[in-house]
Amino acid sequence: DAGVIQSPRHEVTEMGQEVTLRCKPISGHDYLFWYRQTMMRGLELLIYFNNNVPIDDSGMPEDRFSAKMPNASFSNLKIQPSEPRDSAVYFCASSRRVSGANVLTFGAGSRLTVL
Amino acid sequence: KNQVEQSPQSLIILEGKNCTLQCNYTVSPFSNLRWYKQDTGRGPVSLTIMTFSENTKSNGRYTATLDADTKQSSLHITASQLSDSASYICVVSAAASGGSYIPTFGRGTSLIVHP
């Protein structure tokens, strides 16, 4: 298995532009999580899906952020319009519940820089 | 509010020495606790997972302990190697609605092993 695949690995954009980050979870995993990591706050949960349905999006910073999971093998996170404070590493993770425990497998992350 | 606090924030040790990282949590109802290792520029990778009934678990030179009464965990690294330089993240999961288990992440301890 190739693991969780994220793209792009690096994105540099200008303030006001739309950013789309993509994630392909591990086949068979029924949970998908989007996290943002910064030095100041560490890993923050933005939103998670179960069986393609958004369950909790309370971590999404504001209306500029949106996430979709149209099918079991793809999710995207959009920021429109982007702002410099959105600069961070965005991680996608997937899991399936085994014996009552979610063990997340993380992608390599997408490093976003907004100028 | 579920919280996970880790200490120290950063640690520098000499190669070959042992070290212990701490994790305190206020997560309820407790489901499981995991330690992740995150190398620079990579996503976190699971090291150990412990449920309520387990108080110690080893993975090579890594040994995690859990005291569910005091809500504390530690990660002990024996005979450190240069490759142990990374961020170590404590993750505690609580049972959520619908039978899911949502993790709360600590901010991590940054470990640097010097030759």
Side-chain angles (χ1 to χ4, degrees):
Chain A
D1 195 325
V4 176
I5 300 173
Q6 290 187 246
S7 65
R9 288 297 312 276
H10 302 275
E11 172 98 7
V12 180
T13 190
E14 290 186 341
M15 183 173 64
Q17 297 297 307
E18 178 178 291
V19 173
T20 300
L21 308 179
R22 300 173 184 81
C23 176
K24 180 178 176 4
I26 291 174
S27 176
H29 282 192
D30 54 353
Y31 286 87
L32 184 141
F33 302 80
W34 280 102
Y35 285 89
R36 176 171 67 177
Q37 187 176 43
T38 61
M39 288 292 291
M40 293 295 292
R41 296 199 188 90
L43 273 162
E44 301 173 278
L45 177 64
L46 299 176
I47 184 173
Y48 79 94
F49 297 83
N50 179 214
N51 292 321
N52 312 339
V53 177
I55 303 300
D56 184 353
D57 65 354
S58 59
M60 296 285 261
E62 44 198 272
D63 292 345
R64 297 184 297 106
F65 285 68
S66 64
K68 287 185 168 56
M69 191 166 186
N71 56 61
S73 59
F74 178 74
S75 175
N76 65 30
L77 177 70
K78 286 191 179 182
I79 308 172
Q80 168 62 20
S82 58
E83 296 182 5
R85 60 191 168 123
D86 301 332
S87 298
V89 181
Y90 291 81
F91 285 101
C92 174
S94 70
S95 75
R96 64 182 176 91
R97 190 152 59 92
V98 178
S99 299
N102 273 4
V103 180
L104 277 64
T105 301
F106 283 81
S110 293
R111 180 176 294 277
L112 172 64
T113 302
V114 183
L115 303 175
Chain B
K1 181 182 177 183
N2 291 335
Q3 286 187 315
V4 176
E5 301 288 339
Q6 290 188 244
S7 62
Q9 210 170 22
S10 61
L11 183 62
I12 302 174
I13 61 173
L14 291 176
E15 185 180 11
K17 297 297 185 184
N18 304 336
C19 67
T20 300
L21 315 179
Q22 301 290 345
C23 173
N24 296 338
Y25 62 91
T26 55
V27 173
S28 182
F30 176 85
S31 172
N32 61 77
L33 183 146
R34 283 158 285 151
W35 283 92
Y36 281 81
K37 178 186 179 189
Q38 184 177 19
D39 292 309
T40 301
R42 311 285 288 271
V45 174
S46 180
L47 288 175
T48 66
I49 178 168
M50 287 184 291
T51 57
F52 186 86
S53 59
E54 298 172 298
N55 55 25
T56 186
K57 184 164 282 190
S58 292
N59 178 359
R61 294 179 297 102
Y62 300 102
T63 299
T65 64
L66 173 65
D67 186 334
D69 292 330
T70 60
K71 298 187 177 180
Q72 295 179 327
S73 175
S74 65
L75 180 69
H76 187 73
I77 304 175
T78 305
S80 60
Q81 300 176 358
L82 299 179
S83 59
D84 293 332
S85 295
S87 180
Y88 291 83
I89 304 171
C90 177
V91 183
V92 184
S93 286
S97 59
S100 62
Y101 298 82
I102 303 309
T104 300
F105 284 71
R107 292 192 185 182
T109 292
S110 173
L111 174 66
I112 299 174
V113 180
H114 270 299

PDB file of all heavy atoms in Angstrom, chain B residues 21-52:
ATOM      1  N   LEU B  21      10.190  11.341  28.251  1.00  0.00           N
ATOM      2  CA  LEU B  21       9.277  12.403  27.872  1.00  0.00           C
ATOM      3  C   LEU B  21       7.956  12.197  28.612  1.00  0.00           C
ATOM      4  O   LEU B  21       7.524  11.055  28.802  1.00  0.00           O
ATOM      5  CB  LEU B  21       9.034  12.397  26.358  1.00  0.00           C
ATOM      6  CG  LEU B  21      10.275  12.237  25.477  1.00  0.00           C
ATOM      7  CD1 LEU B  21       9.879  12.225  24.008  1.00  0.00           C
ATOM      8  CD2 LEU B  21      11.297  13.296  25.770  1.00  0.00           C
ATOM      9  N   GLN B  22       7.321  13.300  28.998  1.00  0.00           N
ATOM     10  CA  GLN B  22       6.118  13.212  29.819  1.00  0.00           C
ATOM     11  C   GLN B  22       4.878  13.689  29.070  1.00  0.00           C
ATOM     12  O   GLN B  22       4.955  14.577  28.217  1.00  0.00           O
ATOM     13  CB  GLN B  22       6.269  14.057  31.089  1.00  0.00           C
ATOM     14  CG  GLN B  22       7.431  13.678  31.976  1.00  0.00           C
ATOM     15  CD  GLN B  22       7.227  12.330  32.658  1.00  0.00           C
ATOM     16  OE1 GLN B  22       6.113  11.800  32.701  1.00  0.00           O
ATOM     17  NE2 GLN B  22       8.297  11.765  33.193  1.00  0.00           N
ATOM     18  N   CYS B  23       3.739  13.117  29.451  1.00  0.00           N
ATOM     19  CA  CYS B  23       2.458  13.499  28.859  1.00  0.00           C
ATOM     20  C   CYS B  23       1.389  13.456  29.947  1.00  0.00           C
ATOM     21  O   CYS B  23       1.221  12.418  30.597  1.00  0.00           O
ATOM     22  CB  CYS B  23       2.113  12.535  27.718  1.00  0.00           C
ATOM     23  SG  CYS B  23       0.462  12.762  27.013  1.00  0.00           S
ATOM     24  N   ASN B  24       0.699  14.553  30.157  1.00  0.00           N
ATOM     25  CA  ASN B  24      -0.436  14.604  31.081  1.00  0.00           C
ATOM     26  C   ASN B  24      -1.685  14.926  30.284  1.00  0.00           C
ATOM     27  O   ASN B  24      -1.643  15.739  29.359  1.00  0.00           O
ATOM     28  CB  ASN B  24      -0.233  15.697  32.149  1.00  0.00           C
ATOM     29  CG  ASN B  24       0.957  15.421  33.038  1.00  0.00           C
ATOM     30  OD1 ASN B  24       1.397  14.287  33.151  1.00  0.00           O
ATOM     31  ND2 ASN B  24       1.499  16.460  33.642  1.00  0.00           N
ATOM     32  N   TYR B  25      -2.782  14.312  30.630  1.00  0.00           N
ATOM     33  CA  TYR B  25      -3.980  14.530  29.831  1.00  0.00           C
ATOM     34  C   TYR B  25      -5.229  14.674  30.700  1.00  0.00           C
ATOM     35  O   TYR B  25      -5.291  14.208  31.828  1.00  0.00           O
ATOM     36  CB  TYR B  25      -4.186  13.382  28.825  1.00  0.00           C
ATOM     37  CG  TYR B  25      -4.399  12.025  29.463  1.00  0.00           C
ATOM     38  CD1 TYR B  25      -5.670  11.562  29.769  1.00  0.00           C
ATOM     39  CD2 TYR B  25      -3.312  11.191  29.738  1.00  0.00           C
ATOM     40  CE1 TYR B  25      -5.867  10.318  30.341  1.00  0.00           C
ATOM     41  CE2 TYR B  25      -3.498   9.942  30.312  1.00  0.00           C
ATOM     42  CZ  TYR B  25      -4.766   9.512  30.614  1.00  0.00           C
ATOM     43  OH  TYR B  25      -4.959   8.274  31.189  1.00  0.00           O
ATOM     44  N   THR B  26      -6.183  15.390  30.139  1.00  0.00           N
ATOM     45  CA  THR B  26      -7.525  15.463  30.719  1.00  0.00           C
ATOM     46  C   THR B  26      -8.478  15.150  29.577  1.00  0.00           C
ATOM     47  O   THR B  26      -9.010  16.057  28.924  1.00  0.00           O
ATOM     48  CB  THR B  26      -7.820  16.855  31.300  1.00  0.00           C
ATOM     49  OG1 THR B  26      -7.596  17.834  30.279  1.00  0.00           O
ATOM     50  CG2 THR B  26      -6.931  17.155  32.487  1.00  0.00           C
ATOM     51  N   VAL B  27      -8.639  13.885  29.294  1.00  0.00           N
ATOM     52  CA  VAL B  27      -9.489  13.427  28.201  1.00  0.00           C
ATOM     53  C   VAL B  27     -10.486  12.436  28.777  1.00  0.00           C
ATOM     54  O   VAL B  27     -10.114  11.494  29.464  1.00  0.00           O
ATOM     55  CB  VAL B  27      -8.653  12.749  27.095  1.00  0.00           C
ATOM     56  CG1 VAL B  27      -9.554  12.126  26.041  1.00  0.00           C
ATOM     57  CG2 VAL B  27      -7.702  13.752  26.465  1.00  0.00           C
ATOM     58  N   SER B  28     -11.745  12.665  28.472  1.00  0.00           N
ATOM     59  CA  SER B  28     -12.771  11.801  29.024  1.00  0.00           C
ATOM     60  C   SER B  28     -13.906  11.606  28.022  1.00  0.00           C
ATOM     61  O   SER B  28     -14.284  12.565  27.343  1.00  0.00           O
ATOM     62  CB  SER B  28     -13.311  12.426  30.321  1.00  0.00           C
ATOM     63  OG  SER B  28     -14.280  11.610  30.916  1.00  0.00           O
ATOM     64  N   PRO B  29     -14.472  10.432  27.932  1.00  0.00           N
ATOM     65  CA  PRO B  29     -14.002   9.188  28.542  1.00  0.00           C
ATOM     66  C   PRO B  29     -12.793   8.643  27.783  1.00  0.00           C
ATOM     67  O   PRO B  29     -12.776   8.591  26.563  1.00  0.00           O
ATOM     68  CB  PRO B  29     -15.211   8.252  28.379  1.00  0.00           C
ATOM     69  CG  PRO B  29     -15.920   8.780  27.168  1.00  0.00           C
ATOM     70  CD  PRO B  29     -15.707  10.258  27.151  1.00  0.00           C
ATOM     71  N   PHE B  30     -11.797   8.211  28.543  1.00  0.00           N
ATOM     72  CA  PHE B  30     -10.528   7.769  27.961  1.00  0.00           C
ATOM     73  C   PHE B  30     -10.734   6.489  27.148  1.00  0.00           C
ATOM     74  O   PHE B  30     -11.444   5.568  27.561  1.00  0.00           O
ATOM     75  CB  PHE B  30      -9.526   7.499  29.082  1.00  0.00           C
ATOM     76  CG  PHE B  30      -8.212   6.937  28.609  1.00  0.00           C
ATOM     77  CD1 PHE B  30      -7.213   7.777  28.166  1.00  0.00           C
ATOM     78  CD2 PHE B  30      -7.985   5.567  28.601  1.00  0.00           C
ATOM     79  CE1 PHE B  30      -6.002   7.269  27.723  1.00  0.00           C
ATOM     80  CE2 PHE B  30      -6.776   5.042  28.163  1.00  0.00           C
ATOM     81  CZ  PHE B  30      -5.779   5.897  27.724  1.00  0.00           C
ATOM     82  N   SER B  31     -10.099   6.456  25.986  1.00  0.00           N
ATOM     83  CA  SER B  31     -10.148   5.253  25.167  1.00  0.00           C
ATOM     84  C   SER B  31      -8.748   4.651  25.012  1.00  0.00           C
ATOM     85  O   SER B  31      -8.543   3.484  25.332  1.00  0.00           O
ATOM     86  CB  SER B  31     -10.721   5.559  23.784  1.00  0.00           C
ATOM     87  OG  SER B  31     -10.595   4.434  22.949  1.00  0.00           O
ATOM     88  N   ASN B  32      -7.815   5.429  24.485  1.00  0.00           N
ATOM     89  CA  ASN B  32      -6.457   4.923  24.318  1.00  0.00           C
ATOM     90  C   ASN B  32      -5.470   6.077  24.237  1.00  0.00           C
ATOM     91  O   ASN B  32      -5.861   7.232  24.042  1.00  0.00           O
ATOM     92  CB  ASN B  32      -6.350   4.034  23.077  1.00  0.00           C
ATOM     93  CG  ASN B  32      -6.677   4.793  21.810  1.00  0.00           C
ATOM     94  OD1 ASN B  32      -5.867   5.564  21.315  1.00  0.00           O
ATOM     95  ND2 ASN B  32      -7.869   4.580  21.264  1.00  0.00           N
ATOM     96  N   LEU B  33      -4.192   5.736  24.397  1.00  0.00           N
ATOM     97  CA  LEU B  33      -3.137   6.735  24.330  1.00  0.00           C
ATOM     98  C   LEU B  33      -2.060   6.213  23.400  1.00  0.00           C
ATOM     99  O   LEU B  33      -1.662   5.042  23.482  1.00  0.00           O
ATOM    100  CB  LEU B  33      -2.553   7.012  25.719  1.00  0.00           C
ATOM    101  CG  LEU B  33      -1.479   8.099  25.822  1.00  0.00           C
ATOM    102  CD1 LEU B  33      -1.596   8.829  27.155  1.00  0.00           C
ATOM    103  CD2 LEU B  33      -0.081   7.553  25.639  1.00  0.00           C
ATOM    104  N   ARG B  34      -1.583   7.075  22.517  1.00  0.00           N
ATOM    105  CA  ARG B  34      -0.539   6.702  21.574  1.00  0.00           C
ATOM    106  C   ARG B  34       0.596   7.712  21.601  1.00  0.00           C
ATOM    107  O   ARG B  34       0.390   8.878  21.903  1.00  0.00           O
ATOM    108  CB  ARG B  34      -1.103   6.646  20.153  1.00  0.00           C
ATOM    109  CG  ARG B  34      -1.902   5.421  19.859  1.00  0.00           C
ATOM    110  CD  ARG B  34      -2.834   5.688  18.708  1.00  0.00           C
ATOM    111  NE  ARG B  34      -3.962   6.503  19.127  1.00  0.00           N
ATOM    112  CZ  ARG B  34      -4.609   7.333  18.331  1.00  0.00           C
ATOM    113  NH1 ARG B  34      -4.230   7.497  17.091  1.00  0.00           N
ATOM    114  NH2 ARG B  34      -5.624   8.022  18.777  1.00  0.00           N
ATOM    115  N   TRP B  35       1.764   7.219  21.314  1.00  0.00           N
ATOM    116  CA  TRP B  35       2.907   8.090  21.088  1.00  0.00           C
ATOM    117  C   TRP B  35       3.260   7.998  19.602  1.00  0.00           C
ATOM    118  O   TRP B  35       3.352   6.903  19.039  1.00  0.00           O
ATOM    119  CB  TRP B  35       4.109   7.660  21.925  1.00  0.00           C
ATOM    120  CG  TRP B  35       3.997   8.063  23.362  1.00  0.00           C
ATOM    121  CD1 TRP B  35       3.475   7.328  24.387  1.00  0.00           C
ATOM    122  CD2 TRP B  35       4.435   9.287  23.948  1.00  0.00           C
ATOM    123  NE1 TRP B  35       3.553   8.025  25.556  1.00  0.00           N
ATOM    124  CE2 TRP B  35       4.141   9.232  25.328  1.00  0.00           C
ATOM    125  CE3 TRP B  35       5.049  10.438  23.448  1.00  0.00           C
ATOM    126  CZ2 TRP B  35       4.440  10.283  26.208  1.00  0.00           C
ATOM    127  CZ3 TRP B  35       5.345  11.480  24.305  1.00  0.00           C
ATOM    128  CH2 TRP B  35       5.044  11.401  25.678  1.00  0.00           C
ATOM    129  N   TYR B  36       3.443   9.185  19.003  1.00  0.00           N
ATOM    130  CA  TYR B  36       3.855   9.261  17.612  1.00  0.00           C
ATOM    131  C   TYR B  36       5.249   9.892  17.547  1.00  0.00           C
ATOM    132  O   TYR B  36       5.591  10.753  18.350  1.00  0.00           O
ATOM    133  CB  TYR B  36       2.915  10.158  16.788  1.00  0.00           C
ATOM    134  CG  TYR B  36       1.617   9.522  16.367  1.00  0.00           C
ATOM    135  CD1 TYR B  36       0.541   9.437  17.245  1.00  0.00           C
ATOM    136  CD2 TYR B  36       1.454   9.021  15.081  1.00  0.00           C
ATOM    137  CE1 TYR B  36      -0.669   8.875  16.848  1.00  0.00           C
ATOM    138  CE2 TYR B  36       0.248   8.452  14.676  1.00  0.00           C
ATOM    139  CZ  TYR B  36      -0.802   8.390  15.572  1.00  0.00           C
ATOM    140  OH  TYR B  36      -1.987   7.831  15.174  1.00  0.00           O
ATOM    141  N   LYS B  37       6.005   9.479  16.525  1.00  0.00           N
ATOM    142  CA  LYS B  37       7.278  10.114  16.225  1.00  0.00           C
ATOM    143  C   LYS B  37       7.135  10.848  14.900  1.00  0.00           C
ATOM    144  O   LYS B  37       6.649  10.266  13.922  1.00  0.00           O
ATOM    145  CB  LYS B  37       8.390   9.061  16.124  1.00  0.00           C
ATOM    146  CG  LYS B  37       9.756   9.635  15.774  1.00  0.00           C
ATOM    147  CD  LYS B  37      10.767   8.521  15.536  1.00  0.00           C
ATOM    148  CE  LYS B  37      12.121   9.110  15.157  1.00  0.00           C
ATOM    149  NZ  LYS B  37      13.079   8.076  14.714  1.00  0.00           N
ATOM    150  N   GLN B  38       7.542  12.120  14.886  1.00  0.00           N
ATOM    151  CA  GLN B  38       7.463  12.883  13.652  1.00  0.00           C
ATOM    152  C   GLN B  38       8.841  13.401  13.281  1.00  0.00           C
ATOM    153  O   GLN B  38       9.401  14.276  13.944  1.00  0.00           O
ATOM    154  CB  GLN B  38       6.488  14.056  13.777  1.00  0.00           C
ATOM    155  CG  GLN B  38       6.312  14.817  12.468  1.00  0.00           C
ATOM    156  CD  GLN B  38       5.286  15.932  12.561  1.00  0.00           C
ATOM    157  OE1 GLN B  38       4.935  16.390  13.637  1.00  0.00           O
ATOM    158  NE2 GLN B  38       4.791  16.375  11.407  1.00  0.00           N
ATOM    159  N   ASP B  39       9.395  12.836  12.214  1.00  0.00           N
ATOM    160  CA  ASP B  39      10.661  13.333  11.688  1.00  0.00           C
ATOM    161  C   ASP B  39      10.419  14.640  10.937  1.00  0.00           C
ATOM    162  O   ASP B  39       9.323  14.869  10.418  1.00  0.00           O
ATOM    163  CB  ASP B  39      11.305  12.304  10.754  1.00  0.00           C
ATOM    164  CG  ASP B  39      11.758  11.063  11.493  1.00  0.00           C
ATOM    165  OD1 ASP B  39      12.463  11.215  12.503  1.00  0.00           O
ATOM    166  OD2 ASP B  39      11.398   9.948  11.070  1.00  0.00           O
ATOM    167  N   THR B  40      11.438  15.471  10.865  1.00  0.00           N
ATOM    168  CA  THR B  40      11.313  16.762  10.190  1.00  0.00           C
ATOM    169  C   THR B  40      10.860  16.559   8.745  1.00  0.00           C
ATOM    170  O   THR B  40      11.422  15.749   8.020  1.00  0.00           O
ATOM    171  CB  THR B  40      12.663  17.497  10.212  1.00  0.00           C
ATOM    172  OG1 THR B  40      13.060  17.671  11.573  1.00  0.00           O
ATOM    173  CG2 THR B  40      12.530  18.854   9.544  1.00  0.00           C
ATOM    174  N   GLY B  41       9.816  17.283   8.374  1.00  0.00           N
ATOM    175  CA  GLY B  41       9.328  17.220   7.005  1.00  0.00           C
ATOM    176  C   GLY B  41       8.492  15.997   6.678  1.00  0.00           C
ATOM    177  O   GLY B  41       8.169  15.754   5.517  1.00  0.00           O
ATOM    178  N   ARG B  42       8.137  15.232   7.695  1.00  0.00           N
ATOM    179  CA  ARG B  42       7.333  14.030   7.469  1.00  0.00           C
ATOM    180  C   ARG B  42       6.080  14.075   8.332  1.00  0.00           C
ATOM    181  O   ARG B  42       5.958  14.877   9.257  1.00  0.00           O
ATOM    182  CB  ARG B  42       8.135  12.770   7.832  1.00  0.00           C
ATOM    183  CG  ARG B  42       9.521  12.695   7.236  1.00  0.00           C
ATOM    184  CD  ARG B  42       9.510  12.366   5.774  1.00  0.00           C
ATOM    185  NE  ARG B  42       9.139  10.995   5.518  1.00  0.00           N
ATOM    186  CZ  ARG B  42       9.994   9.988   5.453  1.00  0.00           C
ATOM    187  NH1 ARG B  42      11.266  10.189   5.693  1.00  0.00           N
ATOM    188  NH2 ARG B  42       9.562   8.779   5.174  1.00  0.00           N
ATOM    189  N   GLY B  43       5.151  13.184   8.042  1.00  0.00           N
ATOM    190  CA  GLY B  43       3.986  13.053   8.892  1.00  0.00           C
ATOM    191  C   GLY B  43       4.298  12.201  10.109  1.00  0.00           C
ATOM    192  O   GLY B  43       5.246  11.426  10.118  1.00  0.00           O
ATOM    193  N   PRO B  44       3.493  12.328  11.168  1.00  0.00           N
ATOM    194  CA  PRO B  44       3.720  11.519  12.378  1.00  0.00           C
ATOM    195  C   PRO B  44       3.518  10.032  12.098  1.00  0.00           C
ATOM    196  O   PRO B  44       2.663   9.654  11.295  1.00  0.00           O
ATOM    197  CB  PRO B  44       2.656  12.030  13.351  1.00  0.00           C
ATOM    198  CG  PRO B  44       2.240  13.369  12.827  1.00  0.00           C
ATOM    199  CD  PRO B  44       2.385  13.277  11.341  1.00  0.00           C
ATOM    200  N   VAL B  45       4.293   9.202  12.787  1.00  0.00           N
ATOM    201  CA  VAL B  45       4.203   7.752  12.657  1.00  0.00           C
ATOM    202  C   VAL B  45       3.999   7.161  14.044  1.00  0.00           C
ATOM    203  O   VAL B  45       4.693   7.526  14.991  1.00  0.00           O
ATOM    204  CB  VAL B  45       5.482   7.181  12.018  1.00  0.00           C
ATOM    205  CG1 VAL B  45       5.440   5.661  12.014  1.00  0.00           C
ATOM    206  CG2 VAL B  45       5.653   7.706  10.606  1.00  0.00           C
ATOM    207  N   SER B  46       3.031   6.258  14.161  1.00  0.00           N
ATOM    208  CA  SER B  46       2.692   5.685  15.456  1.00  0.00           C
ATOM    209  C   SER B  46       3.819   4.810  16.002  1.00  0.00           C
ATOM    210  O   SER B  46       4.383   3.978  15.289  1.00  0.00           O
ATOM    211  CB  SER B  46       1.411   4.856  15.319  1.00  0.00           C
ATOM    212  OG  SER B  46       1.049   4.290  16.561  1.00  0.00           O
ATOM    213  N   LEU B  47       4.160   5.002  17.290  1.00  0.00           N
ATOM    214  CA  LEU B  47       5.174   4.181  17.969  1.00  0.00           C
ATOM    215  C   LEU B  47       4.517   3.116  18.842  1.00  0.00           C
ATOM    216  O   LEU B  47       4.884   1.949  18.801  1.00  0.00           O
ATOM    217  CB  LEU B  47       6.065   5.060  18.853  1.00  0.00           C
ATOM    218  CG  LEU B  47       7.070   5.986  18.185  1.00  0.00           C
ATOM    219  CD1 LEU B  47       7.753   6.838  19.241  1.00  0.00           C
ATOM    220  CD2 LEU B  47       8.096   5.188  17.395  1.00  0.00           C
ATOM    221  N   THR B  48       3.599   3.549  19.697  1.00  0.00           N
ATOM    222  CA  THR B  48       2.933   2.634  20.620  1.00  0.00           C
ATOM    223  C   THR B  48       1.489   3.064  20.798  1.00  0.00           C
ATOM    224  O   THR B  48       1.138   4.220  20.591  1.00  0.00           O
ATOM    225  CB  THR B  48       3.583   2.637  22.011  1.00  0.00           C
ATOM    226  OG1 THR B  48       3.399   3.926  22.613  1.00  0.00           O
ATOM    227  CG2 THR B  48       5.064   2.325  21.967  1.00  0.00           C
ATOM    228  N   ILE B  49       0.664   2.123  21.206  1.00  0.00           N
ATOM    229  CA  ILE B  49      -0.720   2.425  21.565  1.00  0.00           C
ATOM    230  C   ILE B  49      -1.057   1.631  22.814  1.00  0.00           C
ATOM    231  O   ILE B  49      -0.692   0.455  22.931  1.00  0.00           O
ATOM    232  CB  ILE B  49      -1.706   2.100  20.425  1.00  0.00           C
ATOM    233  CG1 ILE B  49      -3.145   2.391  20.862  1.00  0.00           C
ATOM    234  CG2 ILE B  49      -1.554   0.669  19.944  1.00  0.00           C
ATOM    235  CD1 ILE B  49      -4.137   2.364  19.723  1.00  0.00           C
ATOM    236  N   MET B  50      -1.718   2.300  23.767  1.00  0.00           N
ATOM    237  CA  MET B  50      -2.086   1.635  25.014  1.00  0.00           C
ATOM    238  C   MET B  50      -3.541   1.934  25.352  1.00  0.00           C
ATOM    239  O   MET B  50      -4.010   3.066  25.202  1.00  0.00           O
ATOM    240  CB  MET B  50      -1.189   2.108  26.154  1.00  0.00           C
ATOM    241  CG  MET B  50       0.224   1.570  26.079  1.00  0.00           C
ATOM    242  SD  MET B  50       1.207   2.045  27.501  1.00  0.00           S
ATOM    243  CE  MET B  50       1.336   3.791  27.193  1.00  0.00           C
ATOM    244  N   THR B  51      -4.234   0.908  25.804  1.00  0.00           N
ATOM    245  CA  THR B  51      -5.597   1.090  26.273  1.00  0.00           C
ATOM    246  C   THR B  51      -5.593   1.192  27.796  1.00  0.00           C
ATOM    247  O   THR B  51      -4.546   1.095  28.441  1.00  0.00           O
ATOM    248  CB  THR B  51      -6.478  -0.080  25.823  1.00  0.00           C
ATOM    249  OG1 THR B  51      -5.909  -1.302  26.321  1.00  0.00           O
ATOM    250  CG2 THR B  51      -6.532  -0.154  24.302  1.00  0.00           C
ATOM    251  N   PHE B  52      -6.786   1.338  28.354  1.00  0.00           N
ATOM    252  CA  PHE B  52      -6.922   1.613  29.780  1.00  0.00           C
ATOM    253  C   PHE B  52      -6.261   0.539  30.636  1.00  0.00           C
ATOM    254  O   PHE B  52      -5.683   0.822  31.677  1.00  0.00           O
ATOM    255  CB  PHE B  52      -8.414   1.701  30.125  1.00  0.00           C
ATOM    256  CG  PHE B  52      -8.688   2.112  31.544  1.00  0.00           C
ATOM    257  CD1 PHE B  52      -8.748   3.441  31.867  1.00  0.00           C
ATOM    258  CD2 PHE B  52      -8.897   1.167  32.531  1.00  0.00           C
ATOM    259  CE1 PHE B  52      -9.001   3.848  33.170  1.00  0.00           C
ATOM    260  CE2 PHE B  52      -9.150   1.553  33.829  1.00  0.00           C
ATOM    261  CZ  PHE B  52      -9.206   2.897  34.152  1.00  0.00           C
TER     262      PHE B  52
END
